[in-house]
Amino acid sequence: MLPTLLAIALLHWVVLVTPGANVLVVTHLAAGGQRRAACCAAVGVTTVAVIWSALAMMGIGAVFAAHPYLRIAVQVAGGLYLLHVAVRLWSSQGGDAPAVAGRLSLLAAFRLGFFTNILNPKSALFFGSVFATALPPQPSAALLMAAVGVVLANALAWHLLLAFAFATAPVQAAYARQRTALNRLASLLVGAFGLRLLAATGQELRSTP
């Protein structure tokens, strides 16, 4: 069991440390002086990682394969949501502006992390491919539960680490000096993630016979 779990953990960490929308949301909140909100966003992201990994074990990848337009619809929604977040970031000038960079309630921060991750069905495909690669042909229930536990531990540890690391005084001071510029940089990055998701979906639609 241990070699299998180590393989799953390694493959998951490779994806976790790759910068993406999840990382950007958590770090942006933390650097903006909202450590508790960043931690709640981290919990939201992690909740979805557990959901997608559990669904992957139940065959959600097969469902998406059988009904590709379902996955495409979720991807389009995800791309549009990220563009919405990007617009709110761009319009924020700091302070108490009603945008992602403004003060978020803990529940709102959790929702931000949750929806940023849940509207990317490629996460389910990733977990499906990881489990298909690393798990034995007939895994036990204990092994399946342990695999989901590894995903939970990895995702929570990584995103909470980011939340605390970017909430340090030097990072917050640097952020305060360049708040508007950093908000707009974050907007461009989030928008790029959204456009990339929409572009990939459009390319997939064009190639579908």
Side-chain angles (χ1 to χ4, degrees), residues 86-105:
V87 170
R88 295 180 66 191
L89 276 167
W90 184 270
S91 64
S92 173
Q93 300 300 318
D96 295 325
V100 175
R103 308 304 299 184
L104 288 183
S105 69

Side-chain angles (χ1 to χ4, degrees), residues 78-88 187 190-195 198:
L80 293 176
Y81 176 74
L82 290 178
L83 290 180
H84 167 69
V85 172
V87 170
R88 295 180 66 191
S187 170
V190 171
F193 292 134
L195 290 174
L198 292 174

Side-chain angles (χ1 to χ4, degrees), residues 23-140:
V23 168
L24 187 58
V25 163
V26 173
T27 57
H28 193 68
L29 285 172
Q34 301 186 70
R35 186 176 64 184
R36 293 178 64 192
C39 289
C40 287
V43 173
V45 169
T46 301
T47 299
V48 174
V50 172
I51 291 172
W52 279 133
S53 60
L55 288 176
M57 291 183 180
M58 293 187 289
I60 190 65
V63 173
F64 282 149
H67 304 282
Y69 288 104
L70 175 62
R71 175 173 53 81
I72 287 172
V74 178
Q75 287 180 190
V76 170
L80 293 176
Y81 176 74
L82 290 178
L83 290 180
H84 167 69
V85 172
V87 170
R88 295 180 66 191
L89 276 167
W90 184 270
S91 64
S92 173
Q93 300 300 318
D96 295 325
V100 175
R103 308 304 299 184
L104 288 183
S105 69
L106 300 186
L107 180 58
F110 175 87
R111 287 199 303 265
L112 179 62
F114 185 92
F115 284 111
T116 299
N117 202 11
I118 198 70
L119 291 172
N120 183 8
K122 291 186 177 181
S123 297
L125 300 179
F126 162 74
F127 285 118
S129 63
V130 166
F131 293 148
T133 301
L135 291 174
Q138 295 182 327
S140 65

